[in-house]
Amino acid sequence: MQPGAWNDGAYGYTTVSRAHPDTTQYIHVTTRPTTGDQVKIRDNGHRVKRITDLRTGKNIPFDQHDGTLTIRSVQDWDPYDTVFKVETTSHRQGIYPMGTVTADDPALTDGDFTTCTDNKGRLPIFFTLDLGEVRRAAYLGINQREWSPTHNRETFGRKEDSARIKDYTISASDDGVHWRQVKEGILESARGVRFIDLGEPGGPVLKTRYLKLDVADTWAEPTVTKFYKQLQIDEIQVGFMYPKNHS
């Protein structure tokens, strides 16, 4: 699951069970939503089977679709952290396995988080993914190297120094020659995997063979020379479907 800033001002982090790392996670809500009784969290391909309040054991209703897990009808918020035990299936769903997708830089799709691609200070830059044939492509999951701070640094009187993707575009091609833009936007500067959905919720899923990620710039200011124009990406995963569930 994706930690950090969630909906309506909610904030928290996730942990994984040592005894059952493949099927049990914990969602710690340290800041409850300012409005409403729900928490919405990116599911990262985990299909949820059951959610309970860790302290009371009470079953908690939830919905899961379009890549988002919504924990519903939360009434008892702990003043320090509300912890939900999340039980999932043993394998992530809807993500192409290693070896299915290749890249112009092998480190992007080798499944090894000890390797990364380094832009060596060159921006703009692009990275191309090859799905092997025309296939479904619902979203990208981008893991950037955790080596720089995250925003908002200006709040503390410092220049922004996040060496993470800012402005980007995604293009698709069936032959690797003729490209069509399918998405553009600003990627938030935050730790953990960042997701780029390639279609509209509930709409048709993109079908393509090639995907190209163009990075126009990163968040770091020119005065922060250590991180300015620097970008390191550990892994890019391609999801072809979203897990669905509800209780």
Side-chain angles (χ1 to χ4, degrees), residues 15-27 46 50 52 54 84-90:
T15 56
V16 177
S17 168
R18 289 185 178 180
H20 306 286
D22 294 330
T23 58
T24 304
Q25 300 184 42
Y26 301 94
I27 295 174
H46 295 280
R50 183 171 181 245
T52 55
L54 181 64
F84 299 105
K85 180 181 179 181
V86 181
E87 298 173 64
T88 69
T89 55
S90 58

Side-chain angles (χ1 to χ4, degrees), residues 175-186:
D175 58 10
V177 177
H178 303 92
W179 295 88
R180 61 192 185 278
Q181 182 174 308
V182 296
K183 193 70 177 284
E184 66 176 342
I186 297 175

Side-chain angles (χ1 to χ4, degrees), residues 114-130:
T114 66
T115 64
C116 72
T117 185
D118 190 327
N119 76 328
K120 302 186 185 305
R122 293 179 285 113
L123 286 176
I125 194 170
F126 68 87
F127 307 98
T128 304
L129 305 174
D130 181 357

Side-chain angles (χ1 to χ4, degrees), residues 109-230:
T109 57
D110 63 2
D112 185 352
F113 285 87
T114 66
T115 64
C116 72
T117 185
D118 190 327
N119 76 328
K120 302 186 185 305
R122 293 179 285 113
L123 286 176
I125 194 170
F126 68 87
F127 307 98
T128 304
L129 305 174
D130 181 357
L131 280 59
E133 60 184 68
V134 174
R135 301 176 187 266
R136 292 163 57 93
Y139 65 90
L140 298 182
I142 303 175
N143 291 272
Q144 300 173 81
R145 182 131 299 200
E146 304 289 3
W147 69 296
S148 69
T150 54
H151 77 307
N152 182 342
R153 306 290 284 178
E154 292 183 356
T155 302
F156 302 96
R158 298 179 59 178
K159 292 293 185 180
E160 176 63 68
D161 52 2
S162 171
R164 289 173 174 81
I165 297 168
K166 187 179 181 183
D167 295 283
Y168 71 87
T169 58
I170 304 290
S171 301
S173 173
D174 295 337
D175 58 10
V177 177
H178 303 92
W179 295 88
R180 61 192 185 278
Q181 182 174 308
V182 296
K183 193 70 177 284
E184 66 176 342
I186 297 175
L187 203 63
E188 64 270 46
S189 174
R191 295 187 183 278
V193 59
R194 298 292 106 190
F195 296 95
I196 300 176
D197 294 298
L198 302 178
E200 297 299 326
V205 175
L206 172 70
K207 292 184 178 180
T208 186
R209 172 169 177 173
Y210 298 95
L211 290 167
K212 182 169 64 172
L213 167 64
D214 283 275
V215 179
D217 54 21
T218 58
W219 285 93
E221 294 285 350
T223 53
V224 188
T225 56
K226 179 178 180 180
F227 300 119
Y228 180 57
K229 288 191 175 183
Q230 301 300 315

